[in-house]
């Protein structure tokens, strides 16, 4: 069953008008027990697990894995672990047949501990990992690190390239300028030198090219320009080094809906368009067509997540109210880091009060500790109320911290009327055990 098959039957049970239905998980419903996800009322989750808490719709994640696998082929999709990672989530990714992109030794170790097939893992960054998967090289230092080993092991690698002049014209977050990040221009002496090092090493095999263009990108144009430049690089490497590139990876960064932006990057039309652009570029350059792969992270899990908070205090002002909750900067730093926007709804009790612009702040007494700014919420909010914030599946749990010695929230999966713990709440004892002095 696809997302398109499911949505029509859910329209009548999704949150009422004005809640931004496109922001909420696939199985969100509004019934007698209030707002529920995965068939579990959010008030019941709060009663069992407390707040703050992250709730994750398993059906939503699995549906998006299925959509990407159908569009690109499961072997050509690598879930970006930096968006969200746990043993339970890894099982869903594995069962969908997807690959995995890891960015730290911790992510690598967790994947192996969960039994994820290492041959389907792509490693980014300074990670102590070698094996049957692939490693992305960004500089000559990466080559030295991979070849200076006491255990000779031939490693398949991909080379991170930095395409130029991608022509983004719509809202999004293009990658930082080339001078601020590692990688290699798609043409020139630096690329030739790195490929010389790779091809001359008996321990390395150049298998593909990789790019990262940015995040929350809804236009196809930048990806099309990137493919054109990557295929030009393939042609040059074939001519000068006799190398045939088997795979090019377009990265991720695919837009998802958020307050103020309803547009998402549609998976099927995107995949079809990229394949056409790839075929045309290969025909023009006279090179064999490589596999086309992608690395979605946020696009897989963002909408599946909901954060729950308990109201601590309310200050009513003419035409506005200020609400403090029991979470904030320590469990969602994204508003402070990137200016990310969120909305919220009252759950657990009915309210017939008119809505007023409401700002929701966290518990940390910091200028940037604002979770929701000037969003409409009932004007009768009071301490003890429960608020739900949608769109919290990506970059919330991974970015959570112990600021002010606050424990990180639990991650709870919901499916078919059942809730189960993926990652337990961090306790004060957990935090204090690390203080060794």
């Amino acid at each position: 069953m696809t997302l398109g098959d499911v949505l029509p039957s859910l329209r009548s049970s999704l949150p009422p008008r004005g809640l931004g239905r496109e922001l909420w998980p696939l199985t969100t419903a509004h019934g007698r027990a209030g707002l529920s996800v995965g068939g579990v009322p959010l008030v019941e989750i709060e009663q069992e697990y407390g707040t703050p808490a992250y709730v994750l719709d398993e059906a939503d994640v699995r549906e998006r894995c299925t959509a990407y696998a159908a569009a690109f082929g499961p072997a050509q999709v690598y879930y970006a672990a930096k968006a969200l990672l746990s043993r339970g989530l890894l099982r869903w990714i594995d069962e969908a047949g997807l690959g995995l992109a890891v960015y730290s030794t911790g992510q690598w170790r967790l994947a192996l501990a969960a039994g994820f097939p290492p041959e389907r893992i792509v490693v980014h960054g300074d990670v102590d990992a070698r094996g049957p998967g692939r490693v992305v090289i960004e500089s000559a230092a990466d080559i030295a690190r991979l070849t200076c080993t006491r255990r000779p092991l031939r490693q398949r690698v991909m080379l991170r390239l930095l395409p130029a002049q991608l022509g983004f014209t719509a809202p999004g977050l293009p990658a930082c300028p080339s001078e601020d990040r590692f990688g290699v221009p798609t043409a020139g002496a630096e690329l030739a030198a790195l490929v010389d090092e790779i091809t001359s090493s008996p321990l390395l095999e150049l298998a593909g090219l990789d790019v990262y263009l940015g995040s929350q990108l809804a236009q196809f144009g930048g990806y099309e320009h990137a493919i054109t430049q990557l295929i030009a690089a393939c042609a040059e490497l074939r001519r000068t080094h006799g190398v045939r590139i088997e795979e090019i990876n377009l990265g991720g960064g695919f837009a998802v809906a958020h307050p103020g932006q309803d547009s998402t990057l549609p998976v099927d039309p995107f995949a079809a368009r990229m394949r056409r652009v790839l075929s045309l570029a290969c025909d023009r350059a006279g090179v064999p067509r490589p596999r086309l792969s992608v690395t979605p992270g946020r696009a897989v899990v963002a909408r599946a997540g909901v954060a729950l908070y308990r109201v601590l205090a309310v200050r009513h002002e003419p035409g506005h109210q200020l609400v403090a909750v029991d979470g904030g900067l320590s469990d969602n730093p994204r508003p402070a880091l990137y200016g990310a926007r969120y909305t919220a709804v009252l759950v657990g009790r009915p309210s017939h009060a008119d809505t007023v612009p409401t700002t929701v702040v966290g518990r940390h007494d910091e200028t940037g500790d604002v979770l929701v700014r000037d969003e409409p919420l009932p004007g009768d909010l009071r301490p003890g109320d429960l608020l739900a914030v949608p769109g919290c599946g990506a970059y919330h749990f991974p970015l959570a911290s112990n600021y002010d010695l606050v424990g990180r929230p639990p991650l709870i999966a919901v499916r078919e009327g059942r809730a189960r713990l993926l990652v337990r709440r961090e306790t004060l004892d957990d935090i204090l055990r690390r203080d060794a002095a």
Side-chain angles (χ1 to χ4, degrees):
M1 183 175 291
T2 67
L3 185 62
D5 298 325
V6 173
L7 278 179
S9 65
L10 291 175
R11 294 190 194 281
S12 61
S13 60
L14 283 172
R17 178 176 57 84
L19 293 190
R21 298 181 182 185
E22 70 283 349
L23 304 178
W24 291 83
L26 173 66
T27 63
T28 304
H30 197 277
R32 184 176 303 175
L35 204 64
S36 68
V37 177
V40 183
L42 295 180
V43 292
E44 292 184 6
I45 293 176
E46 184 276 331
Q47 289 166 2
E48 182 172 357
Y49 297 101
T51 56
Y54 306 114
V55 181
L56 192 66
D57 183 359
E58 181 177 343
D60 195 318
V61 175
R62 287 183 180 273
E63 166 60 33
R64 294 181 190 281
C65 289
T66 299
Y68 273 95
F72 289 94
Q76 273 64 257
V77 181
Y78 305 97
Y79 170 71
K82 63 172 62 179
L84 178 67
L85 198 65
S86 76
R87 291 176 190 258
L89 177 60
L90 280 167
R91 284 192 291 273
W92 308 344
I93 301 299
D94 184 16
E95 289 169 7
L98 307 189
L100 181 71
V102 300
Y103 303 83
S104 71
T105 302
Q107 292 173 354
W108 165 259
R109 292 283 298 276
L110 181 60
L112 296 185
F116 198 92
E119 65 272 14
R120 286 168 28 208
I121 299 178
V122 174
V123 176
H124 295 253
D126 182 17
V127 179
D128 184 16
R130 295 177 180 84
R134 274 155 288 178
V135 175
V136 176
I137 288 177
E138 297 183 349
S139 69
D142 292 332
I143 298 175
R145 177 171 52 83
L146 288 171
T147 54
C148 294
T149 175
R150 295 180 181 178
R151 297 181 300 158
L153 177 67
R154 188 166 176 81
Q155 179 66 61
R156 290 166 62 81
V157 299
M158 301 181 73
L159 192 57
R160 168 63 62 89
L161 299 189
L162 302 174
Q165 299 177 347
L166 295 175
F168 290 116
T169 60
L173 296 172
C176 59
S178 297
E179 60 266 23
D180 295 337
R181 58 193 177 113
F182 283 95
V184 190
T186 54
E190 186 178 359
L191 175 61
L194 280 183
V195 174
D196 279 340
E197 284 196 62
I198 294 171
T199 55
S200 63
S201 170
L203 296 181
L204 301 179
E205 177 186 351
L206 183 57
L209 304 177
D210 170 274
V211 295
Y212 170 69
L213 306 186
S215 62
Q216 284 293 77
L217 304 175
Q219 286 188 322
F220 293 179
Y223 294 99
E224 294 175 358
H225 285 301
I227 286 176
T228 301
Q229 295 181 48
L230 292 178
I231 295 305
C234 289
E236 180 65 11
L237 295 180
R238 192 181 190 203
R239 184 183 67 81
T240 58
H241 292 79
V243 173
R244 176 178 175 179
I245 298 299
E246 300 175 3
E247 177 181 357
I248 62 171
N249 186 290
L250 293 179
F254 311 133
V256 299
H258 59 84
Q261 178 179 318
D262 294 339
S263 61
T264 62
L265 190 140
V267 179
D268 289 336
F270 175 70
R273 177 62 182 169
M274 294 306 106
R275 282 193 291 267
R276 288 195 295 270
V277 172
L278 178 63
S279 294
L280 181 60
C282 290
D283 289 345
R284 288 176 173 173
V287 296
R289 178 178 168 179
R291 296 190 307 275
L292 181 67
S293 60
V294 291
T295 310
R298 184 198 315 269
V300 173
V301 295
R303 200 181 83 162
V306 175
L308 298 180
Y309 300 100
R310 183 63 69 182
V311 173
L312 300 178
V314 182
R315 188 176 78 203
H316 297 282
E317 300 174 346
H320 187 269
Q321 63 183 349
L322 182 67
V323 174
V325 296
D326 58 355
L329 190 63
S330 57
D331 59 78
N332 183 5
R334 296 189 68 249
L337 289 174
Y338 325 124
R341 289 185 56 190
Y342 293 88
T343 188
V345 299
L346 169 65
V347 297
R349 71 171 177 89
S351 173
H352 302 289
D354 292 338
T355 61
V356 296
T358 302
T359 295
V360 179
V361 299
R363 58 180 292 174
H364 296 287
D365 193 27
E366 293 283 352
T367 301
D369 192 12
V370 177
L371 291 172
V372 175
R373 186 178 295 279
D374 293 331
E375 287 288 308
L377 282 169
D380 63 348
L381 287 182
R382 53 183 183 253
D385 278 340
L386 183 64
L387 297 183
V389 178
C392 293
Y395 300 105
H396 293 71
F397 179 82
L399 287 175
S401 72
N402 295 131
Y403 186 54
D404 283 342
L405 294 186
V406 172
R408 288 169 288 189
L411 180 64
I412 302 142
V414 290
R415 184 183 185 187
E416 297 177 349
R418 297 183 60 187
R420 64 186 180 93
L421 200 61
L422 294 181
V423 182
R424 68 169 174 84
R425 184 181 301 279
E426 189 175 36
T427 68
L428 184 56
D429 286 341
D430 292 328
I431 299 170
L432 296 181
R433 272 195 289 268
R434 299 180 62 238
D435 194 329

